[in-house]
Amino acid sequence: MQLIKNAHILTMDQDDRIFHPGYLVIDGDRIKEVGSGEYANESQCDWVFDAKDGILIPGMINCHTHLGMIPFRSLADDVPNRLHRFLFPLENQAMDAPLVYASSKYAMAEMLLAGITSFVDMYYFEEEVAKACQEMKIRGIVAETVIDQAPDGEEKFAGLKYGRSFIQKWQNKDLVTPAIAPHAPYSNTSESLKAAQTIAADFQAPWTIHLSEMDFEMSKYQKECQSSPVQYLNDLGLLDDRLIAAHCIHVDAKDIDLLKEKGVAVAHCIGANTKSAKGVAPIKEMLQAGIAVGLGTDGPSSNNSLDLFSQMRLLANFHKTYNHDRAAFPAREIVRLATYGGAQVIKRHRELGSIKAGNLADLCLVETQSANMFPVFDPYAVLVYSANASNVSHVWVNGHLCVEDKHLSDVSLDQLKQELIQAMEPFNQALANL
């Protein structure tokens, strides 16, 4: 058994209990006990760690990302036509299985070091992402992208065939939940969208999509269908409670009602949305409607970082301004979105996203010894407004200590970087020839 003592424990449970000073006992992959004061049976524990008043929270959940896109980080960030000028051409010319594998491992390392213990990925060659997930000992929903032309298939919408085979092969694996991801309504046909939903339904798997994100997307469906993208999917019978919709920036009251009625969850990506000047999603209204909302970083090309501390701070700043209300989105609510809210999005809230006996031991300890972490009047406010990824000291996934004293426990970050540099050689050559 592992014992964490002298912690400032934010349980994020139904009653928002706080234990300070508190202790937590891990037995195998589960939380055995959490409470205040001292643990009476400390002598029975194999490993005892003094948290020194660090803030212990549930492992954070990144509800939308593209882990294979580390090579694109900082590339043409301010170019308006970046997607078609750089991203799509380089994906088609240079993206392959070894590059996705190396990129995903590096991205997983970055997330673990930032206290993220679960993620939802949408990209190509997802078998490589699943392998990396098991090796890095992080929890992931791993979704193969369905799009008209993909780098991992020659025929149109090759992700359908790949996705079905992938889900079938990776069902019931520890840490990995296979899924499928039609890229967006506008990059699919009604037939390919329905086929993706059918595959998800056949295996009772999650599925995810970019939705109501782009200005041209909104214009397209208004012009062609006199409706929004959300209403278009609803008319096709595609909104259901396995669907995770990323972005949902341009949604109105009718859209919100439909998302709630059908049980669709939303991944809010404030960093990517505002960096690309697309807008601020009305998540206040979504939450008031009872929609499950979690936080997503989007890919490292869209947001440049894979940590949720930056997203929490951006959420506070943008949404307070957007709503002209300093009291909107208090820090406690924002931390909840990064933890329990994310667990609701991925339908794992009965065993993830909160700290209580019986839950899976996915945990993040944020040290409070650094200069930026003193004083701690409100631990939630410290996490949202003061902390950053470098303050994460220890991370557990499934009871396994993945990060210890701010370093990866199982692999060298330098080694992962060198492997990625090598895998990027064809990518860099293709970039030079653009």
Side-chain angles (χ1 to χ4, degrees), residues 215-355:
D215 289 339
F216 74 80
E217 175 188 3
M218 306 309 295
S219 300
K220 170 184 171 66
Y221 290 101
Q222 184 57 47
K223 180 179 179 180
E224 296 178 5
C225 308
Q226 293 74 55
S227 70
S228 69
V230 172
Q231 293 158 34
Y232 167 73
L233 291 187
N234 185 64
D235 290 343
L236 292 175
L238 295 176
L239 299 181
D240 63 40
D241 63 2
R242 285 185 303 278
L243 181 60
I244 301 170
H247 301 292
C248 292
I249 302 168
H250 308 296
V251 293
D252 60 20
K254 183 177 179 181
D255 294 334
I256 290 172
D257 287 344
L258 285 172
L259 294 173
K260 168 57 179 174
E261 177 189 342
K262 303 299 182 180
V264 178
V266 172
H268 179 49
C269 305
I270 185 66
N273 296 351
T274 53
K275 179 192 170 192
S276 56
K278 291 170 184 169
V280 178
I283 62 166
K284 177 181 177 182
E285 290 77 8
M286 294 184 205
L287 290 167
Q288 288 173 342
I291 294 170
V293 178
L295 304 185
T297 61
D298 209 341
S301 68
S302 300
N303 178 57
N304 296 63
S305 68
L306 293 173
D307 80 90
L308 290 182
F309 291 99
S310 59
Q311 303 310 295
M312 288 194 289
R313 189 171 301 114
L314 286 169
L315 189 157
N317 293 346
F318 272 97
H319 283 278
K320 288 175 186 290
T321 302
Y322 179 77
N323 290 284
H324 301 287
D325 182 3
R326 184 187 178 115
F329 288 97
R332 183 186 307 222
E333 290 184 14
I334 296 174
V335 175
R336 178 168 289 277
L337 291 175
T339 54
Y340 188 77
Q344 288 180 303
V345 167
I346 65 172
K347 304 294 191 292
R348 299 292 298 275
H349 53 285
R350 290 181 177 82
E351 56 184 355
L352 293 174
S354 61
I355 294 176

Side-chain angles (χ1 to χ4, degrees), residues 83-137:
L83 185 66
H84 293 92
R85 174 72 178 83
F86 292 98
L87 270 62
F88 283 164
L90 285 171
E91 282 181 337
N92 288 326
Q93 293 176 37
M95 190 55 64
D96 57 16
L99 183 53
V100 168
Y101 173 73
S103 176
S104 296
K105 289 188 74 172
Y106 189 89
M108 290 170 191
E110 182 178 346
M111 289 194 295
L112 284 169
L113 290 166
I116 292 170
T117 56
S118 297
F119 64 88
V120 180
D121 186 58
M122 172 200 286
Y123 206 54
Y124 310 106
F125 300 101
E126 288 296 285
E127 178 122 7
E128 304 304 315
V129 183
K131 293 175 185 175
C133 194
Q134 288 193 322
E135 292 172 16
M136 294 297 291
K137 299 181 176 63

Side-chain angles (χ1 to χ4, degrees), residues 5 11 46 61 119 169 171 196 293 301 364 391 400 414 433:
K5 64 181 184 178
T11 65
D46 307 302
I61 298 172
F119 64 88
K169 179 178 178 179
Q171 283 186 106
V293 178
S301 68
C364 167
N391 296 120
H400 175 72
D414 287 341
N433 293 332

